[in-house]
Amino acid sequence: MSHINRKHATWAAGFTALFVLGLSLTTLVGGAGAAGTGVGLGTADSFAVLAGSGITNTGPTTVNGDLGTYPTTTMSGTASLTVSGTNHGGDAVTQQAKTDLVTAYNTAAGEGPTSPIAADLGGQTLKPGVYNSGSSIGLTGTLTLDGGGNPSAVFVFQAGSTLTTASASSVSLVNGAQSCNVFWQVGSSATLGTGSSFRGTILALTSITVTTGTTVEGRVLARDGAVTLDTDTITKPSCAAATTTTAPAATTTAATTTTTAATTTTATTTTTATTTTTATTPRPKPVKPPKVIKAASTTKTHARPARRHPGFTG
């Protein structure tokens, strides 16, 4: 019995170890890139540039989307602004968008669970998830965001204070990741370096400065402060619809096989059996030779002597 109990104890201990190891692996895998939830922007969604205390522009800048500012409605440098959307200024649309921006900012700040990140994201490749820095976030070089083949993958970055990108830095999206699903919640102000290429929507509590020659595929939305532009291109992103692959129903389409009767004109060789009738010539009946009637000979060769009867005398 003691031997059996020892076997059971050994088996139980091994099973428990495997179970704990499985839980550990699950925790590690699940904790890496915990899934984030998209941040709803409400009416602020149509804005490429939105400010709380004015917009300043220097040099030719292109804004593909709406722009506006409220409660400070001051805008400068608008003569060199090319806006493909609507310049709402401080109208009712902008005011509602500002209200929705506050909600979106709070939503992004409250996302979790979070994964801690280093102060500089340059050279890293990150999976979808929520990433948090208690202080600032910097970017030197290239940050790669890998969607893992899911066009709905969400990336949320939370900076306790500032977001600062270096000159010529970039955010690269691969494997289905989309700018419309990338959000940067900034606890104070954001500055994008000269000639940089940035992806995602910035939700800053204070101000946003986009320096010379920067390209943004996303939005620059400043909740309380100003937005400063200088010869930039800012394009509001649009999400490509996620493609759902549905297995096609097994539709049996009767293949219309058009059998074209190949009119094969087969030369019908009429073989006329040549019946050779060999006329059987009947065998001729033997011809009897004609009877030879001897002519009465006038010349008696032998004279029959006269018969003499006794008793008669001549």
Side-chain angles (χ1 to χ4, degrees), residues 28-235:
L28 287 173
V29 173
T37 304
V39 178
L41 298 173
T43 59
D45 182 81
S46 66
F47 283 77
V49 178
L50 183 59
S53 60
I55 296 172
T56 301
N57 175 60
T58 302
T61 292
T62 299
V63 176
N64 296 309
D66 295 347
L67 79 163
T69 176
Y70 183 83
T72 301
T73 58
T74 304
M75 290 189 189
S76 63
T78 55
S80 56
L81 271 176
T82 300
V83 182
S84 67
T86 301
N87 183 349
H88 286 286
D91 67 9
V93 175
T94 298
Q95 293 173 38
Q96 182 59 54
K98 280 299 303 300
T99 299
D100 292 342
L101 173 56
V102 172
T103 302
Y105 177 91
N106 292 334
T107 298
E111 290 242 8
T114 64
S115 298
I117 50 175
D120 196 307
L121 298 176
Q124 296 189 48
T125 297
L126 299 178
K127 300 292 184 181
V130 183
Y131 299 92
N132 178 274
S133 169
S135 56
S136 62
I137 293 178
L139 174 57
T140 302
T142 300
L143 166 65
T144 301
L145 303 182
D146 186 344
N150 179 11
S152 299
V154 175
F155 300 81
V156 178
F157 296 89
Q158 301 166 339
S161 57
T162 60
L163 167 66
T164 305
T165 68
S167 297
S169 62
S170 64
V171 177
S172 175
L173 306 179
V174 298
N175 292 331
Q178 300 191 75
S179 296
C180 61
N181 293 323
V182 180
F183 302 91
W184 304 81
Q185 180 263 319
V186 182
S188 59
S189 298
T191 301
L192 304 182
T194 302
S196 59
S197 177
F198 193 78
R199 302 288 183 272
T201 295
I202 300 175
L203 308 163
L205 179 63
T206 314
S207 61
I208 301 174
T209 300
V210 186
T211 59
T212 309
T214 296
T215 299
V216 178
E217 185 181 314
R219 303 175 181 84
V220 289
L221 311 178
R223 175 174 161 177
D224 299 330
V227 173
T228 302
L229 308 174
D230 182 3
T231 317
D232 307 307
T233 300
I234 302 171
T235 302

Side-chain angles (χ1 to χ4, degrees), residues 255-261:
T256 307
T257 307
T258 305
T259 307
T260 305

Side-chain angles (χ1 to χ4, degrees), residues 251-265:
T251 304
T252 307
T253 305
T256 307
T257 307
T258 305
T259 307
T260 305
T263 308
T264 307
T265 306

